[in-house]
Amino acid sequence: MTKCQQKVYQRTPTILQLKEISHSRKMSKMTSPPPTAADAAEETIGTTGFSTLPTHIIESHVLTRLDGPALASAASCSAALRYLSSQNHLWTELCHSTWPSTTSPRATHIISTFPGGGPRAFFSHAFTNAQQNPISSSAANPPPELISAVDIHYRDKLILSKHQETESVSDWFRCSPFRIDLLETKEFVPTPIKHPEGDETCTDIVDGMSLSWILIDPIQRRVVNLSSHKPVTVQRHWLTGEVKIKFASILAAENGHVMCSAAVTCGGSDSGKMQVTEVSLEMEDMDGVHLNGKDSLASLHRALDGKKGGDRRLRYEDYLEMRRERKERKVKTEEALDMFCLGFGVSIVLAFFLFLFCR
């Protein structure tokens, strides 16, 4: 036996030594306390490429820099990241940073007690737009109160953030045309947007402005986002120079669809920059008629009661095409009815003269 073989033989444990090592490991596992979730996370992270980073570093310096979709994707990478990314405070801060209007005490309480996962479930429902779900009867009653959380950005800069509560049980609300106004009369919000002088500036507004109008049912803990995020139309009044920026979301209704439109009106100022003078939410049917509070609340109730995974959201262009076809059919029906009435009238006159001639 060579010297090298002797050294290897001396370092190789005997069968008795292996049994003793195995027995000691079993005893240590039996006597040690069960690992906690944090210990399991640390152990798993140590074996999946994060061995050099403590869990609190990952949680405070890595996960806090992710947006909602990225944080949800990180949860599917491993059991450890699923545990770390499911912390409520991460999703609460994410909700507040995405929608600053949700930082009010009441909205924060609703987010923390949202069914199905607290702030994570709230973010999941509020991040996506209103889904085009099939019409279904709901046993729950329409909400007696609506909370609006509205945030307007221009090129990632916050212009307006407001939280407003609206009662929906009075006769005045149910019989009057549905409308939610965020700003009081003569109230305005300055913006960094230059007053448009042509079509190029209006195009810049379409590309740079975004709006999120989240409607919350505080009683039944339901939420829906009623915005297209990007404007669907930008119109400049030829006389006053006011610019009306329209955001729209199409909802299902009993007799087709209704359009929930959020309008932002901007006027000029002495500094040459525009200022927001009006922010409102209205609803209209396929014929362009404004709905009252009762009918609007029924459509909003279905949107709040909608579940994820429904049909795709109807685009604004598709809705306009459907409305145009509906108008054409209505015009053709009216023309056919007019022709019928005209022919019937002519036949009556001819019959009358024929009767007189035959006498």
Side-chain angles (χ1 to χ4, degrees):
M1 183 180 296
T2 62
K3 293 182 179 180
C4 183
Q5 291 176 342
Q6 290 178 358
K7 291 180 179 180
V8 172
Y9 179 77
Q10 290 174 359
R11 293 178 181 177
T12 303
T14 62
I15 296 177
L16 181 60
Q17 291 174 339
L18 290 175
K19 289 182 178 181
E20 291 178 354
I21 293 173
S22 177
H23 179 71
S24 62
R25 287 180 177 177
K26 289 181 179 180
M27 293 299 295
S28 62
K29 290 182 179 180
M30 293 175 61
T31 56
S32 61
T36 61
D39 296 335
E42 290 185 1
E43 182 179 356
T44 309
I45 287 177
T47 60
T48 56
F50 291 97
S51 57
T52 59
L53 294 177
T55 55
H56 69 277
I57 296 296
I58 298 175
E59 183 177 345
S60 59
H61 295 280
V62 178
L63 298 181
T64 54
R65 298 178 183 272
L66 302 179
D67 57 5
L71 188 60
S73 300
S76 61
C77 294
S78 65
L81 288 176
R82 186 183 306 114
Y83 167 77
L84 293 177
S85 60
S86 62
Q87 303 297 317
N88 286 337
H89 69 89
L90 288 177
W91 289 98
T92 301
E93 294 175 0
L94 192 59
C95 290
H96 291 170
S97 60
T98 307
W99 307 294
S101 57
T102 60
T103 56
S104 64
R106 191 176 184 190
T108 302
H109 175 69
I110 294 174
I111 291 174
S112 62
T113 58
F114 204 81
R120 183 175 183 178
F122 180 90
F123 187 93
S124 176
H125 286 80
F127 185 76
T128 55
N129 296 97
Q131 299 293 320
Q132 198 58 44
N133 298 291
I135 296 296
S136 60
S137 58
S138 176
N141 295 323
E145 184 184 13
L146 297 173
I147 297 178
S148 298
V150 184
D151 298 284
I152 302 177
H153 291 80
Y154 179 74
R155 299 200 178 278
D156 298 330
K157 183 178 180 181
L158 184 64
I159 295 179
L160 183 144
S161 178
K162 193 165 185 179
H163 160 274
Q164 181 165 309
E165 302 174 0
T166 305
E167 61 85 20
S168 58
V169 295
S170 64
D171 295 336
W172 179 86
F173 175 86
R174 293 179 177 270
C175 298
S176 302
F178 176 82
R179 183 182 175 95
I180 298 178
D181 289 301
L182 291 185
L183 301 180
E184 300 292 339
T185 306
K186 296 184 179 180
E187 183 182 2
F188 63 90
V189 179
T191 70
I193 309 173
K194 293 182 179 180
H195 197 274
E197 298 178 355
D199 296 336
E200 295 182 358
T201 309
C202 292
T203 304
D204 182 71
I205 294 175
V206 173
D207 297 334
M209 183 173 288
S210 63
L211 179 143
S212 174
W213 193 303
I214 298 177
L215 209 61
I216 305 173
D217 177 6
I219 305 301
Q220 302 176 27
R221 296 295 193 269
R222 299 178 299 173
V223 62
V224 63
N225 199 328
L226 296 175
S227 174
S228 55
H229 288 295
K230 293 295 182 180
V232 293
T233 59
V234 177
Q235 298 178 347
R236 184 172 181 266
H237 196 276
W238 66 273
L239 181 61
T240 62
E242 290 184 339
V243 178
K244 189 173 184 179
I245 308 159
K246 186 177 182 179
F247 302 81
S249 183
I250 312 303
L251 306 178
E254 290 287 352
N255 300 321
H257 301 83
V258 295
M259 181 175 64
C260 185
S261 59
V264 180
T265 303
C266 298
S269 62
D270 297 336
S271 61
K273 300 293 182 66
M274 290 198 302
Q275 54 188 14
V276 179
T277 58
E278 184 178 304
V279 181
S280 61
L281 184 72
E282 296 179 330
M283 297 188 70
E284 60 183 47
D285 59 10
M286 295 287 291
D287 296 325
V289 179
H290 289 275
L291 301 179
N292 57 21
K294 182 180 178 180
D295 297 335
S296 300
L297 197 62
S299 298
L300 293 175
H301 176 52
R302 297 188 189 98
L304 288 166
D305 199 41
K307 295 181 175 57
K308 304 282 288 185
D311 300 336
R312 67 179 180 87
R313 186 174 64 89
L314 188 66
R315 295 191 310 163
Y316 177 73
E317 294 78 8
D318 299 335
Y319 174 79
L320 292 182
E321 182 66 21
M322 292 172 58
R323 193 163 71 173
R324 184 187 64 81
E325 294 176 355
R326 179 187 176 93
K327 185 177 181 180
E328 290 179 354
R329 290 195 301 267
K330 188 176 180 179
V331 170
K332 290 180 179 180
T333 302
E334 292 177 351
E335 290 178 351
L337 184 61
D338 292 341
M339 292 297 296
F340 174 78
C341 293
L342 180 62
F344 183 76
V346 171
S347 62
I348 293 296
V349 173
L350 291 177
F352 177 73
F353 281 106
L354 184 62
F355 173 77
L356 294 178
F357 179 78
C358 292
R359 291 182 61 183

